[in-house]
Amino acid sequence: MHFDLYTLGVIGAAIGIAISMSFTLLGLVLRGLPALRIWASAFWVVTAAAFAQGLDENGSLLSTVAGGGLIALANALMLMGIAIHLHYPLRWRWPLAVVGLFAANQLHAYLVPPSQTVSALMFGAYSVVWDVWMVWVLLWRAPRDMRNTCSFTALIFIVDAVFYLLRSVVVLFPQTFAHTPLDELLTTWNYLFGILSSFLLSTGFTLMLAERLTLDLRRLARTDGLTGLLNRSALIEAGTRLVDACRARGQACSVLMFDLDHFKSINDSWGHAAGDAVLGHFVGVIRGVGLVRDALFARYGGEEFVLVLPAVEPVQVGALAERMRAAVAAKPAVFDGRTINITTSIGGAAATDANFERLVSAADVALYRAKHLGRDQVAWSPGVERPG
């Protein structure tokens, strides 16, 4: 069955409209995914390009400049959507500069028509540049937990680049490849390949969105919504693994448990919004003192926090606890233009042979001893190793 360019353009436009509508409707539901809106715009632009090129086969201003420029713009939107989705800091000006360069080249081609060979080579070169750029971002800038879907999407761009490279080879060596099966295949699939690529890309982007949502949900299930720290269940899971690893290596592992002194009176006197601000301020102060690598800092519940310090000498942990206590006392929280003085009591425990549950229990006992002794101080559990 033979399809002329007009028919293929209509088919491509119909599929493009369906894909664009799907992404647009998804964007109305999933409002927290900015990449989704950008990809929806990209597919709308691809659809407009299909109309511009499919409705005019004569190389006019519409098909040459507008159609080609729209394709370049769609590539730029796809690239920026990928970068934003992966949190890669790519500035808009670089893709848009390439779009401008391509549009200027297309305008020159319209005013001074090059040979068919040169025109095909230029379009193929621009296509390969976009493909390689997107593959690089997908494979080398993707987080480890998103590699699977990014690799699938990158494969689509790799196939697209190979397709245009093969076309360029056929154009460069017409005597060798003219009327060969490769030449006929590339000619027959020239426009159909573009339609298939759009469909596969929509699938790849959808899988990337689904994976992002899944990871975000898992992260939310492990994170305290107010402070952004690990929550209690995530702390127990990660802390158990960390302490067991230290015990297997014969290294000391320490646990510090913090309690904000008189926190209930802050809520009663200032309101719960102030209490939330104080909790956030406290987390910032502790982080500002400096946490060692691989440390676990989590909200244990209410105004209680836990810090797990693996492979750190107890003497160093004792000094760190004192610095943290002093830093909290020296830096009042600010709420609604007024300062709120806060202090913290700290209970500590350190051991080389205790499990996570025992360390936390020992630190909890030490914490209550610090509060009983007058608060705003550090106490250590007598049942395990004590620094100094």
Side-chain angles (χ1 to χ4, degrees), residues 182-204:
L182 178 61
D183 182 25
E184 294 176 359
L185 179 65
L186 293 176
T187 302
T188 302
W189 278 83
N190 183 26
Y191 209 89
L192 288 175
F193 185 78
I195 297 173
L196 181 62
S197 295
S198 295
F199 175 76
L200 290 175
L201 282 176
S202 69
T203 303

Side-chain angles (χ1 to χ4, degrees), residues 44-56 59-75 99 102-111 123:
W44 280 117
V45 173
V46 169
T47 303
F51 272 114
Q53 294 185 327
L55 296 177
D56 184 2
S60 68
L61 184 67
L62 177 64
S63 62
T64 303
V65 181
L70 288 172
I71 290 176
L73 178 59
N75 280 312
V99 173
F102 181 78
N105 181 72
Q106 290 295 98
L107 180 60
H108 182 268
Y110 170 72
L111 298 175
F123 186 83

Side-chain angles (χ1 to χ4, degrees), residues 4 23 30 38 46 63 83 112 114 136 141 166-167 172-173 200 211 226 249 251 275 289 299 349 354 365 370 385:
D4 58 20
F23 272 69
L30 305 175
I38 296 176
V46 169
S63 62
V112 185
W136 181 78
R141 295 299 178 181
L166 289 175
R167 280 192 62 195
L172 279 173
F173 303 100
L200 290 175
E211 188 170 45
L226 176 62
R249 296 191 298 266
Q251 296 175 318
V289 173
R299 187 179 181 185
V365 171
E385 299 173 15

Side-chain angles (χ1 to χ4, degrees), residues 127-290:
S127 298
V128 171
V129 167
W130 286 116
D131 289 334
V132 171
W133 201 350
M134 284 186 265
V135 168
W136 181 78
V137 175
L138 285 165
L139 294 184
W140 278 272
R141 295 299 178 181
R144 182 177 301 177
D145 50 7
M146 294 189 66
R147 290 287 173 83
N148 291 333
T149 56
C150 287
S151 297
F152 173 80
T153 307
L155 180 61
I156 301 170
F157 288 113
I158 291 172
V159 172
D160 188 71
V162 170
F163 179 84
Y164 282 106
L165 286 174
L166 289 175
R167 280 192 62 195
S168 299
V169 171
V170 170
V171 170
L172 279 173
F173 303 100
Q175 296 84 2
T176 304
F177 295 99
H179 306 297
T180 62
L182 178 61
D183 182 25
E184 294 176 359
L185 179 65
L186 293 176
T187 302
T188 302
W189 278 83
N190 183 26
Y191 209 89
L192 288 175
F193 185 78
I195 297 173
L196 181 62
S197 295
S198 295
F199 175 76
L200 290 175
L201 282 176
S202 69
T203 303
F205 290 154
T206 302
L207 290 174
M208 290 173 64
L209 291 167
E211 188 170 45
R212 168 64 72 186
L213 288 172
T214 301
L215 293 172
D216 287 347
L217 288 174
R218 289 176 181 173
R219 192 174 296 112
L220 287 173
R222 295 170 51 84
T223 304
D224 173 59
L226 176 62
T227 62
L229 300 177
L230 293 177
N231 58 25
R232 183 168 181 164
S233 61
L235 169 69
I236 293 173
E237 178 185 343
T240 299
R241 289 198 304 266
L242 202 59
V243 172
D244 288 347
C246 286
R247 185 170 54 177
R249 296 191 298 266
Q251 296 175 318
C253 191
S254 302
V255 170
L256 298 178
M257 181 171 283
F258 303 81
D259 185 275
L260 288 178
D261 298 327
H262 306 294
F263 184 74
K264 184 177 182 302
S265 64
I266 294 176
N267 279 330
D268 293 341
S269 302
W270 297 78
H272 288 282
D276 291 346
V278 167
L279 292 175
H281 169 79
F282 169 79
V283 170
V285 171
I286 297 300
R287 281 176 166 166
V289 173

Side-chain angles (χ1 to χ4, degrees), residues 293-309:
R293 184 179 179 182
D294 296 330
L296 289 179
F297 189 27
R299 187 179 181 185
Y300 198 64
E303 67 273 20
E304 290 186 337
F305 296 82
V306 168
L307 177 61
V308 183
L309 299 163

Side-chain angles (χ1 to χ4, degrees), residues 26-109:
L26 277 175
L28 295 176
V29 177
L30 305 175
R31 297 178 180 272
L33 297 172
L36 178 55
R37 296 193 298 272
I38 296 176
W39 286 332
S41 300
F43 284 117
W44 280 117
V45 173
V46 169
T47 303
F51 272 114
Q53 294 185 327
L55 296 177
D56 184 2
E57 305 179 20
N58 299 320
S60 68
L61 184 67
L62 177 64
S63 62
T64 303
V65 181
L70 288 172
I71 290 176
L73 178 59
N75 280 312
L77 290 170
M78 288 183 184
L79 174 62
M80 287 305 303
I82 292 171
I84 291 173
H85 189 69
L86 300 180
H87 303 300
Y88 172 59
L90 177 63
R91 296 185 178 181
W92 279 94
R93 63 185 180 188
W94 300 117
L96 292 180
V98 178
V99 173
L101 179 63
F102 181 78
N105 181 72
Q106 290 295 98
L107 180 60
H108 182 268

